[in-house]
Coordinates of all heavy atoms in Angstrom, one line a residue:
M19 N 22.5 -0.8 23.6 CA 21.7 -1.7 22.9 C 20.5 -1.1 22.3 O 19.9 -0.2 22.9 CB 21.2 -2.8 23.9 CG 21.7 -4.2 23.4 SD 21.3 -5.5 24.7 CE 19.5 -5.8 24.3
K20 N 20.2 -1.6 21.1 CA 19.0 -1.0 20.4 C 17.8 -1.7 20.8 O 17.7 -2.9 20.8 CB 19.3 -1.2 18.9 CG 19.3 0.1 18.2 CD 19.4 -0.1 16.6 CE 19.7 1.2 15.9 NZ 19.9 1.0 14.5
K21 N 16.7 -0.9 21.1 CA 15.5 -1.4 21.4 C 14.7 -1.6 20.1 O 14.5 -0.8 19.3 CB 14.8 -0.5 22.4 CG 13.8 -1.1 23.4 CD 13.2 -0.1 24.3 CE 11.7 -0.4 24.4 NZ 11.0 0.7 25.1
K22 N 14.1 -2.8 20.0 CA 13.2 -3.1 18.9 C 11.8 -2.7 19.2 O 11.2 -3.1 20.1 CB 13.3 -4.6 18.6 CG 13.2 -4.9 17.1 CD 13.2 -6.4 16.8 CE 13.0 -6.6 15.4 NZ 12.8 -8.0 15.1
S23 N 11.4 -1.7 18.4 CA 10.1 -1.2 18.6 C 9.3 -1.3 17.4 O 9.7 -1.3 16.3 CB 10.2 0.3 19.1 OG 10.7 1.1 18.1
T24 N 7.9 -1.2 17.6 CA 7.0 -1.3 16.4 C 6.9 0.1 15.8 O 6.7 1.0 16.5 CB 5.6 -1.8 17.0 OG1 5.8 -3.0 17.6 CG2 4.7 -2.0 15.8
V25 N 7.1 0.1 14.5 CA 6.9 1.4 13.8 C 5.5 1.5 13.2 O 5.1 0.6 12.4 CB 8.0 1.6 12.7 CG1 7.8 2.9 12.0 CG2 9.3 1.4 13.3
L26 N 4.8 2.4 13.6 CA 3.4 2.5 13.1 C 3.3 3.5 11.9 O 4.0 4.5 11.9 CB 2.5 3.0 14.2 CG 2.2 2.1 15.4 CD1 1.4 2.7 16.4 CD2 1.6 0.8 14.9
R27 N 2.5 3.0 10.9 CA 2.4 3.9 9.7 C 0.8 3.9 9.4 O 0.1 3.0 9.7 CB 3.1 3.3 8.5 CG 4.6 3.5 8.6 CD 5.0 4.9 8.4 NE 6.5 5.1 8.5 CZ 7.1 5.5 9.6 NH1 6.4 5.7 10.7 NH2 8.4 5.7 9.6
R28 N 0.4 5.0 8.8 CA -1.0 5.2 8.5 C -1.3 4.8 7.1 O -0.6 5.2 6.1 CB -1.3 6.7 8.7 CG -2.8 6.9 8.9 CD -3.1 8.4 9.3 NE -2.6 8.8 10.5 CZ -3.2 8.6 11.7 NH1 -4.4 8.0 11.7 NH2 -2.7 9.1 12.8
C29 N -2.4 4.0 6.9 CA -2.8 3.6 5.6 C -3.4 4.9 4.9 O -4.2 5.6 5.6 CB -3.8 2.5 5.8 SG -4.8 2.2 4.3
V30 N -3.1 5.0 3.7 CA -3.6 6.2 3.0 C -5.1 6.2 2.7 O -5.7 7.2 2.4 CB -2.8 6.5 1.7 CG1 -1.4 6.9 1.9 CG2 -2.9 5.3 0.6
A31 N -5.6 5.0 2.7 CA -7.0 4.8 2.4 C -7.9 4.8 3.6 O -8.8 5.7 3.7 CB -7.3 3.5 1.7
C32 N -7.7 4.0 4.6 CA -8.7 4.0 5.8 C -8.1 4.8 6.9 O -8.8 4.9 8.0 CB -8.9 2.5 6.2 SG -7.5 1.7 6.8
K33 N -6.9 5.2 6.9 CA -6.3 6.1 7.9 C -6.0 5.4 9.2 O -5.8 6.0 10.2 CB -7.1 7.3 8.2 CG -7.5 8.1 6.9 CD -6.4 8.9 6.4 CE -6.8 9.7 5.2 NZ -5.6 10.2 4.5
K34 N -6.0 4.0 9.2 CA -5.7 3.3 10.3 C -4.2 3.2 10.6 O -3.5 3.1 9.6 CB -6.2 1.8 10.2 CG -7.5 1.6 11.0 CD -7.8 0.1 10.9 CE -9.1 -0.1 10.1 NZ -9.4 -1.4 9.8
L35 N -3.8 3.2 11.8 CA -2.4 3.1 12.1 C -2.1 1.6 12.3 O -2.8 0.9 13.1 CB -2.1 3.8 13.4 CG -1.8 5.3 13.3 CD1 -1.7 5.9 14.7 CD2 -0.5 5.6 12.5
L36 N -1.1 1.1 11.6 CA -0.7 -0.3 11.7 C 0.8 -0.4 11.7 O 1.5 0.5 11.3 CB -1.3 -1.0 10.5 CG -2.7 -1.3 10.4 CD1 -3.2 -1.8 9.1 CD2 -3.1 -2.4 11.5
D37 N 1.2 -1.6 12.2 CA 2.6 -1.9 12.1 C 3.1 -1.8 10.7 O 2.5 -2.4 9.8 CB 2.8 -3.4 12.7 CG 4.2 -3.7 12.8 OD1 5.1 -3.1 12.2 OD2 4.5 -4.7 13.6
R38 N 4.2 -1.2 10.5 CA 4.8 -0.9 9.2 C 5.0 -2.3 8.4 O 4.8 -2.3 7.2 CB 6.2 -0.2 9.3 CG 6.6 0.3 8.0 CD 7.9 1.1 8.2 NE 9.0 0.3 8.9 CZ 10.2 0.8 9.0 NH1 10.5 2.0 8.6 NH2 11.1 0.0 9.6
Q39 N 5.3 -3.3 9.2 CA 5.5 -4.7 8.6 C 4.3 -5.2 7.9 O 4.4 -6.0 7.0 CB 5.9 -5.6 9.7 CG 7.0 -5.2 10.6 CD 8.4 -5.4 10.1 OE1 8.6 -6.4 9.3 NE2 9.4 -4.6 10.4
Q40 N 3.1 -4.8 8.3 CA 1.9 -5.3 7.8 C 1.3 -4.6 6.6 O 0.4 -5.0 6.0 CB 0.8 -5.3 8.9 CG 1.2 -6.2 10.1 CD 0.1 -6.0 11.2 OE1 -0.9 -5.4 11.0 NE2 0.5 -6.5 12.4
L41 N 2.0 -3.5 6.3 CA 1.5 -2.7 5.2 C 2.2 -2.8 4.0 O 3.4 -3.1 4.0 CB 1.4 -1.2 5.7 CG 0.5 -0.8 6.9 CD1 0.9 0.4 7.5 CD2 -0.9 -0.8 6.4
W42 N 1.6 -2.4 2.8 CA 2.3 -2.3 1.6 C 3.0 -0.9 1.6 O 2.3 0.0 2.0 CB 1.3 -2.4 0.4 CG 1.0 -3.8 0.1 CD1 1.6 -4.9 0.3 CD2 -0.3 -4.2 -0.5 NE1 0.8 -6.0 -0.2 CE2 -0.3 -5.5 -0.7 CE3 -1.4 -3.4 -1.0 CZ2 -1.3 -6.2 -1.2 CZ3 -2.5 -4.1 -1.5 CH2 -2.4 -5.5 -1.7
R43 N 4.2 -0.9 1.1 CA 4.8 0.4 1.0 C 5.0 0.8 -0.5 O 5.5 0.0 -1.3 CB 6.2 0.3 1.7 CG 6.9 1.6 1.8 CD 8.2 1.5 2.6 NE 9.0 2.7 2.6 CZ 10.3 2.7 2.3 NH1 11.0 1.7 2.1 NH2 10.9 3.9 2.3
V44 N 4.6 2.0 -0.8 CA 4.8 2.5 -2.1 C 5.7 3.8 -2.0 O 5.5 4.7 -1.2 CB 3.5 3.0 -2.7 CG1 3.7 3.4 -4.2 CG2 2.5 1.8 -2.7
I45 N 6.8 3.7 -2.8 CA 7.8 4.8 -2.6 C 8.0 5.6 -3.9 O 8.0 5.0 -5.0 CB 9.2 4.2 -2.2 CG1 9.0 3.3 -1.0 CG2 10.2 5.3 -1.9 CD1 9.1 1.8 -1.4
R46 N 8.1 6.9 -3.8 CA 8.4 7.7 -4.9 C 10.0 7.9 -4.9 O 10.5 8.7 -4.2 CB 7.8 9.1 -4.8 CG 8.1 10.0 -5.9 CD 7.4 11.3 -5.6 NE 8.0 12.3 -6.4 CZ 7.7 13.6 -6.3 NH1 6.8 14.0 -5.5 NH2 8.2 14.6 -7.2
D47 N 10.6 7.0 -5.7 CA 12.1 7.0 -5.7 C 12.6 8.1 -6.6 O 12.0 8.4 -7.6 CB 12.5 5.6 -6.2 CG 14.0 5.4 -6.0 OD1 14.8 5.8 -6.8 OD2 14.3 4.8 -4.9
H48 N 13.7 8.7 -6.2 CA 14.3 9.8 -6.9 C 14.7 9.3 -8.3 O 14.7 10.1 -9.2 CB 15.4 10.4 -6.2 CG 15.0 10.9 -4.8 ND1 14.1 12.0 -4.7 CD2 15.4 10.6 -3.6 CE1 13.9 12.3 -3.5 NE2 14.7 11.5 -2.7
K49 N 15.2 8.1 -8.4 CA 15.8 7.6 -9.6 C 14.7 6.9 -10.5 O 14.5 7.2 -11.6 CB 16.9 6.7 -9.4 CG 18.2 7.3 -9.1 CD 19.4 6.4 -9.4 CE 19.2 4.9 -8.9 NZ 19.7 4.7 -7.6
D50 N 14.0 6.0 -9.8 CA 13.2 5.0 -10.6 C 11.7 5.3 -10.6 O 10.9 4.6 -11.2 CB 13.4 3.6 -10.0 CG 14.8 3.2 -10.0 OD1 15.5 3.5 -10.9 OD2 15.2 2.6 -9.0
G51 N 11.3 6.5 -10.1 CA 9.9 6.8 -10.1 C 9.2 6.1 -9.0 O 9.8 5.8 -7.9
V52 N 7.9 5.7 -9.2 CA 7.2 5.0 -8.1 C 7.5 3.5 -8.1 O 7.4 2.8 -9.1 CB 5.6 5.2 -8.4 CG1 4.9 4.5 -7.3 CG2 5.3 6.7 -8.3
V53 N 8.0 3.1 -6.9 CA 8.4 1.7 -6.8 C 7.7 1.1 -5.5 O 7.2 1.8 -4.7 CB 9.9 1.5 -6.7 CG1 10.6 1.9 -8.0 CG2 10.5 2.3 -5.5
L54 N 7.8 -0.3 -5.4 CA 7.2 -0.9 -4.3 C 8.3 -1.5 -3.4 O 9.4 -1.8 -3.8 CB 6.3 -2.0 -4.7 CG 5.0 -1.5 -5.5 CD1 4.4 -2.7 -6.2 CD2 4.1 -0.9 -4.6
N55 N 8.0 -1.7 -2.1 CA 8.8 -2.3 -1.1 C 10.0 -1.5 -0.7 O 10.1 -1.1 0.4 CB 9.3 -3.7 -1.6 CG 8.2 -4.5 -2.0 OD1 7.1 -4.5 -1.5 ND2 8.4 -5.4 -3.0
D56 N 10.9 -1.2 -1.6 CA 12.2 -0.6 -1.2 C 12.5 0.6 -2.1 O 12.3 0.5 -3.4 CB 13.3 -1.6 -1.3 CG 13.3 -2.6 -0.1 OD1 13.3 -2.1 1.1 OD2 13.2 -3.8 -0.4
G57 N 13.0 1.6 -1.5 CA 13.4 2.8 -2.3 C 13.7 3.9 -1.4 O 13.5 3.9 -0.2
M58 N 14.3 5.0 -2.0 CA 14.6 6.1 -1.2 C 13.7 7.3 -1.7 O 13.6 7.6 -2.8 CB 16.0 6.6 -1.6 CG 17.1 5.6 -1.0 SD 17.3 5.7 0.8 CE 18.1 7.3 0.9
G59 N 13.0 7.8 -0.7 CA 12.1 8.9 -1.0 C 10.8 8.9 -0.2 O 10.7 8.2 0.8
R60 N 9.9 9.7 -0.7 CA 8.6 9.9 0.0 C 7.9 8.5 -0.1 O 7.8 7.9 -1.1 CB 7.8 11.0 -0.7 CG 6.5 11.3 0.0 CD 5.8 12.4 -0.8 NE 6.4 13.7 -0.5 CZ 6.1 14.5 0.5 NH1 5.1 14.0 1.4 NH2 6.6 15.6 0.7
S61 N 7.3 8.1 1.0 CA 6.6 6.8 1.1 C 5.1 7.0 1.4 O 4.7 7.9 2.2 CB 7.2 5.9 2.1 OG 8.6 5.7 1.9
A62 N 4.4 6.1 0.9 CA 2.9 6.0 1.3 C 2.6 4.5 1.6 O 3.3 3.6 1.1 CB 2.0 6.4 0.1
Y63 N 1.7 4.3 2.6 CA 1.5 2.9 3.1 C 0.0 2.6 2.8 O -0.9 3.5 2.8 CB 1.8 2.8 4.6 CG 3.2 3.0 4.8 CD1 3.8 4.3 4.9 CD2 4.1 1.9 4.9 CE1 5.2 4.5 5.2 CE2 5.4 2.1 5.1 CZ 6.0 3.3 5.2 OH 7.3 3.5 5.4
L64 N -0.2 1.3 2.6 CA -1.6 0.9 2.3 C -1.8 -0.5 2.9 O -0.9 -1.4 2.8 CB -1.7 0.7 0.8 CG -3.0 0.6 0.1 CD1 -3.9 1.9 0.4 CD2 -2.9 0.4 -1.4
C65 N -3.0 -0.7 3.5 CA -3.3 -2.0 4.0 C -3.4 -3.1 2.9 O -3.9 -2.7 1.8 CB -4.7 -2.1 4.7 SG -5.0 -0.9 6.0
P66 N -2.9 -4.3 3.1 CA -2.9 -5.2 2.0 C -4.3 -5.9 1.9 O -4.5 -7.1 2.1 CB -1.9 -6.3 2.5 CG -1.8 -6.2 3.9 CD -2.2 -4.7 4.3
N67 N -5.3 -5.1 1.6 CA -6.6 -5.6 1.3 C -7.3 -4.9 0.1 O -6.9 -3.8 -0.2 CB -7.5 -5.7 2.6 CG -7.8 -4.3 3.1 OD1 -8.3 -3.5 2.3 ND2 -7.5 -4.1 4.3
E68 N -8.4 -5.6 -0.4 CA -9.0 -5.1 -1.6 C -9.7 -3.7 -1.3 O -9.6 -2.8 -2.2 CB -10.0 -6.1 -2.0 CG -10.3 -6.0 -3.5 CD -11.3 -7.1 -3.9 OE1 -11.6 -8.0 -3.2 OE2 -11.8 -7.0 -5.1
A69 N -10.3 -3.6 -0.2 CA -11.1 -2.4 0.1 C -10.2 -1.2 0.1 O -10.5 -0.1 -0.5 CB -11.7 -2.5 1.5
C70 N -9.0 -1.2 0.7 CA -8.1 -0.1 0.8 C -7.4 0.2 -0.6 O -7.2 1.3 -1.0 CB -7.0 -0.3 1.8 SG -7.7 -0.1 3.5
L71 N -7.1 -0.9 -1.3 CA -6.5 -0.7 -2.6 C -7.5 0.0 -3.5 O -7.1 0.9 -4.2 CB -6.2 -2.1 -3.2 CG -5.5 -2.1 -4.6 CD1 -4.3 -1.3 -4.6 CD2 -5.2 -3.6 -5.0
E72 N -8.7 -0.4 -3.5 CA -9.8 0.2 -4.3 C -10.0 1.6 -4.0 O -10.1 2.5 -4.8 CB -11.1 -0.5 -4.1 CG -11.4 -1.4 -5.3 CD -12.8 -2.1 -5.1 OE1 -13.8 -1.3 -4.8 OE2 -12.9 -3.3 -5.4
E73 N -10.1 1.9 -2.7 CA -10.3 3.3 -2.2 C -9.1 4.1 -2.6 O -9.3 5.3 -3.1 CB -10.4 3.2 -0.6 CG -10.4 4.5 0.1 CD -11.8 5.2 0.1 OE1 -12.7 4.6 -0.5 OE2 -11.9 6.3 0.5
A74 N -7.9 3.6 -2.4 CA -6.7 4.4 -2.8 C -6.7 4.7 -4.3 O -6.3 5.8 -4.7 CB -5.5 3.6 -2.4
Q75 N -7.1 3.7 -5.1 CA -7.1 3.9 -6.5 C -8.1 4.9 -6.9 O -7.9 5.8 -7.8 CB -7.3 2.5 -7.2 CG -7.0 2.6 -8.7 CD -6.9 1.2 -9.3 OE1 -7.4 0.2 -8.7 NE2 -6.3 1.1 -10.5
R76 N -9.4 4.7 -6.4 CA -10.5 5.6 -6.8 C -10.3 7.0 -6.4 O -10.6 7.9 -7.2 CB -11.8 5.0 -6.2 CG -13.0 5.5 -6.9 CD -14.2 4.7 -6.4 NE -14.2 4.5 -4.9 CZ -14.7 3.4 -4.3 NH1 -15.1 2.4 -5.0 NH2 -14.6 3.3 -3.1
R77 N -9.8 7.2 -5.2 CA -9.7 8.6 -4.7 C -8.3 9.2 -4.9 O -8.0 10.2 -4.3 CB -10.1 8.6 -3.2 CG -11.5 8.2 -3.0 CD -11.9 8.5 -1.6 NE -13.3 8.0 -1.4 CZ -14.4 8.6 -1.6 NH1 -14.3 9.9 -2.0 NH2 -15.5 8.1 -1.3
K78 N -7.5 8.4 -5.6 CA -6.1 8.9 -5.9 C -5.3 9.2 -4.6 O -4.6 10.2 -4.6 CB -6.2 10.1 -6.8 CG -6.8 9.9 -8.1 CD -6.5 11.0 -9.2 CE -7.3 10.8 -10.5 NZ -7.0 9.5 -11.1
R79 N -5.5 8.4 -3.6 CA -4.8 8.6 -2.4 C -3.3 8.5 -2.4 O -2.6 9.2 -1.8 CB -5.3 7.6 -1.3 CG -6.8 7.9 -0.9 CD -6.9 9.1 0.0 NE -8.3 9.5 0.2 CZ -9.1 8.9 1.1 NH1 -8.7 7.9 1.8 NH2 -10.3 9.3 1.2
L80 N -2.8 7.5 -3.2 CA -1.4 7.4 -3.4 C -0.8 8.6 -4.1 O 0.2 9.1 -3.7 CB -1.0 6.1 -4.1 CG -1.3 4.8 -3.3 CD1 -1.0 3.6 -4.2 CD2 -0.4 4.7 -2.1
Q81 N -1.5 9.0 -5.1 CA -1.0 10.2 -5.9 C -0.9 11.4 -5.0 O 0.1 12.1 -5.0 CB -2.0 10.5 -7.0 CG -1.8 9.6 -8.2 CD -2.8 8.4 -8.1 OE1 -3.2 7.9 -7.0 NE2 -3.2 7.8 -9.2
K82 N -1.9 11.6 -4.1 CA -1.9 12.7 -3.2 C -0.8 12.6 -2.2 O -0.1 13.6 -1.8 CB -3.2 12.9 -2.5 CG -4.2 13.6 -3.5 CD -5.6 13.5 -2.9 CE -6.6 14.0 -4.0 NZ -8.0 13.6 -3.7
A83 N -0.6 11.4 -1.7 CA 0.4 11.2 -0.6 C 1.8 11.3 -1.1 O 2.7 11.9 -0.5 CB 0.2 9.8 0.0
L84 N 2.0 10.9 -2.4 CA 3.4 10.9 -3.0 C 3.6 12.2 -3.7 O 4.7 12.5 -4.2 CB 3.6 9.7 -3.9 CG 3.5 8.4 -3.2 CD1 3.5 7.2 -4.2 CD2 4.6 8.2 -2.2
R85 N 2.5 12.9 -4.0 CA 2.5 14.1 -4.8 C 3.2 13.9 -6.2 O 4.0 14.7 -6.7 CB 3.4 15.2 -4.1 CG 2.6 15.6 -2.8 CD 3.4 16.7 -2.1 NE 2.9 16.8 -0.7 CZ 3.6 17.5 0.2 NH1 4.7 18.0 0.0 NH2 3.0 17.6 1.4
C86 N 2.7 12.8 -6.8 CA 3.1 12.6 -8.2 C 2.1 11.6 -8.8 O 1.3 11.1 -8.2 CB 4.5 12.0 -8.2 SG 4.6 10.3 -7.6
Q87 N 2.3 11.3 -10.1 CA 1.4 10.4 -10.8 C 1.9 8.9 -10.4 O 3.1 8.7 -10.3 CB 1.5 10.5 -12.2 CG 0.9 11.8 -12.8 CD -0.6 11.8 -12.5 OE1 -1.3 10.9 -12.8 NE2 -1.0 12.9 -11.9
V88 N 0.9 8.1 -10.2 CA 1.2 6.7 -9.9 C 0.8 5.8 -11.1 O -0.4 5.8 -11.5 CB 0.5 6.2 -8.6 CG1 0.7 4.7 -8.4 CG2 0.9 7.0 -7.4
P89 N 1.7 5.1 -11.8 CA 1.3 4.4 -12.9 C 0.4 3.2 -12.6 O 0.4 2.6 -11.5 CB 2.7 3.8 -13.4 CG 3.7 4.1 -12.4 CD 3.1 5.0 -11.4
E90 N -0.4 3.0 -13.6 CA -1.4 1.9 -13.5 C -0.8 0.6 -13.1 O -1.4 -0.2 -12.4 CB -2.1 1.8 -14.9 CG -3.4 0.9 -14.8 CD -4.6 1.5 -14.0 OE1 -4.6 2.8 -13.8 OE2 -5.3 0.7 -13.6
T91 N 0.4 0.3 -13.5 CA 1.1 -0.9 -13.3 C 1.3 -1.2 -11.8 O 1.3 -2.3 -11.4 CB 2.5 -1.0 -14.0 OG1 3.2 0.2 -13.7 CG2 2.3 -1.1 -15.5
V92 N 1.5 -0.1 -11.0 CA 1.6 -0.3 -9.6 C 0.4 -0.8 -9.0 O 0.4 -1.8 -8.2 CB 2.0 1.2 -8.9 CG1 1.9 1.1 -7.5 CG2 3.4 1.6 -9.4
F93 N -0.8 -0.3 -9.4 CA -2.0 -0.9 -8.9 C -2.2 -2.3 -9.4 O -2.8 -3.2 -8.6 CB -3.2 0.0 -9.3 CG -3.2 1.3 -8.7 CD1 -2.8 2.4 -9.4 CD2 -3.6 1.5 -7.4 CE1 -2.8 3.7 -8.8 CE2 -3.6 2.7 -6.7 CZ -3.2 3.9 -7.5
Q94 N -1.8 -2.6 -10.6 CA -2.0 -4.0 -11.1 C -1.1 -5.0 -10.3 O -1.6 -6.1 -10.0 CB -1.6 -4.0 -12.5 CG -2.7 -3.5 -13.5 CD -2.2 -3.1 -14.9 OE1 -1.0 -3.5 -15.2 NE2 -3.0 -2.6 -15.7
V95 N 0.1 -4.6 -10.0 CA 1.0 -5.5 -9.2 C 0.4 -5.7 -7.8 O 0.3 -6.8 -7.3 CB 2.4 -4.8 -9.0 CG1 3.2 -5.6 -8.0 CG2 3.1 -4.8 -10.4
L96 N -0.2 -4.6 -7.2 CA -0.8 -4.8 -5.8 C -2.0 -5.7 -5.9 O -2.3 -6.5 -5.0 CB -1.1 -3.4 -5.3 CG 0.1 -2.5 -4.9 CD1 -0.4 -1.2 -4.4 CD2 0.9 -3.2 -3.8
Q97 N -2.8 -5.5 -7.0 CA -4.0 -6.3 -7.1 C -3.7 -7.8 -7.2 O -4.3 -8.7 -6.7 CB -4.8 -5.9 -8.4 CG -6.2 -5.5 -8.1 CD -6.7 -4.4 -9.0 OE1 -6.1 -4.2 -10.1 NE2 -7.6 -3.7 -8.5
K98 N -2.5 -8.1 -7.9 CA -2.1 -9.5 -8.0 C -1.7 -10.1 -6.7 O -1.7 -11.3 -6.5 CB -1.0 -9.6 -9.0 CG -1.5 -9.6 -10.4 CD -0.3 -9.9 -11.4 CE -0.8 -9.6 -12.8 NZ 0.2 -9.1 -13.7
R99 N -1.3 -9.2 -5.8 CA -0.8 -9.7 -4.5 C -1.9 -10.0 -3.5 O -1.7 -10.7 -2.6 CB 0.0 -8.5 -3.8 CG 1.4 -8.4 -4.3 CD 2.2 -7.6 -3.3 NE 3.3 -7.0 -3.9 CZ 4.1 -6.1 -3.3 NH1 3.7 -5.7 -2.1 NH2 5.1 -5.6 -3.8
L100 N -3.1 -9.5 -3.8 CA -4.3 -9.9 -3.0 C -4.5 -11.3 -3.0 O -4.5 -12.0 -4.1 CB -5.5 -9.2 -3.5 CG -5.6 -7.6 -3.3 CD1 -6.7 -7.1 -4.2 CD2 -5.7 -7.3 -1.9
I101 N -4.8 -11.9 -1.9 CA -5.1 -13.3 -1.8 C -6.6 -13.5 -2.3 O -7.5 -13.0 -1.7 CB -5.0 -13.8 -0.4 CG1 -3.5 -13.6 0.1 CG2 -5.3 -15.3 -0.3 CD1 -3.4 -13.4 1.6
P102 N -6.8 -14.3 -3.3 CA -8.1 -14.6 -3.7 C -8.9 -15.4 -2.8 O -8.6 -16.5 -2.5 CB -8.0 -15.3 -5.1 CG -6.6 -15.8 -5.1 CD -5.8 -15.1 -4.0
S103 N -9.9 -14.8 -2.2 CA -10.7 -15.5 -1.1 C -12.1 -15.9 -1.6 O -12.7 -16.7 -1.0 CB -10.8 -14.5 0.1 OG -11.4 -13.4 -0.2
I104 N -12.6 -15.3 -2.6 CA -13.9 -15.6 -3.1 C -14.1 -17.0 -3.5 O -15.1 -17.7 -3.1 CB -14.3 -14.7 -4.3 CG1 -14.2 -13.2 -3.9 CG2 -15.7 -14.9 -4.9 CD1 -13.9 -12.2 -5.0
G105 N -13.1 -17.6 -4.2 CA -13.2 -18.9 -4.6 C -13.3 -19.9 -3.5 O -13.9 -21.0 -3.5
L106 N -12.6 -19.6 -2.3 CA -12.6 -20.5 -1.2 C -14.0 -20.5 -0.5 O -14.4 -21.5 0.1 CB -11.5 -20.1 -0.2 CG -10.1 -20.2 -0.7 CD1 -9.2 -19.5 0.3 CD2 -9.7 -21.6 -0.9
V107 N -14.6 -19.3 -0.4 CA -15.9 -19.2 0.2 C -17.0 -20.0 -0.5 O -17.8 -20.7 0.1 CB -16.3 -17.8 0.4 CG1 -17.7 -17.7 1.0 CG2 -15.2 -17.0 1.3
A108 N -17.0 -19.8 -1.9 CA -18.0 -20.4 -2.7 C -17.7 -22.0 -2.9 O -17.4 -22.3 -4.1 CB -18.2 -19.7 -4.0
K109 N -17.8 -22.7 -1.9 CA -17.5 -24.1 -2.1 C -18.8 -24.9 -2.3 O -19.8 -24.7 -1.7 CB -16.9 -24.7 -0.7 CG -15.6 -25.4 -0.9 CD -15.1 -25.9 0.4 CE -13.7 -26.5 0.3 NZ -13.2 -26.8 1.6
A110 N -18.7 -25.8 -3.3 CA -19.9 -26.6 -3.7 C -20.2 -27.6 -2.6 O -19.3 -28.2 -2.0 CB -19.7 -27.3 -5.0
R111 N -21.4 -27.8 -2.3 CA -21.8 -28.8 -1.3 C -21.9 -30.2 -1.8 O -22.5 -30.3 -2.9 CB -23.2 -28.4 -0.6 CG -23.0 -27.4 0.4 CD -24.4 -26.8 0.9 NE -24.2 -25.6 1.6 CZ -24.3 -25.5 2.9 NH1 -24.6 -26.6 3.6 NH2 -24.2 -24.4 3.5
Ligands
ZN2 ZN1 -6.3 0.7 5.0

């Protein structure tokens, strides 16, 4: 019987170890270049939050982890996945 275990991966920005399920996965696919979620090849992981996304983008952490260029569109897609929380906090009284 196969034991189900938690697979930990390190975020490229904050270096925290987290359950793989909770992280965004960016893959350098052999065929398609840099892709998200699924692919075959070298992978980098990122926490799904604005701070880590920004840090990764600013310091080129994904590029370094994957050892290739990461297109701007990849960051744009990830940015869209962020849950907008600012609007919820600024509630009018
Ligand atoms: Zn992180």
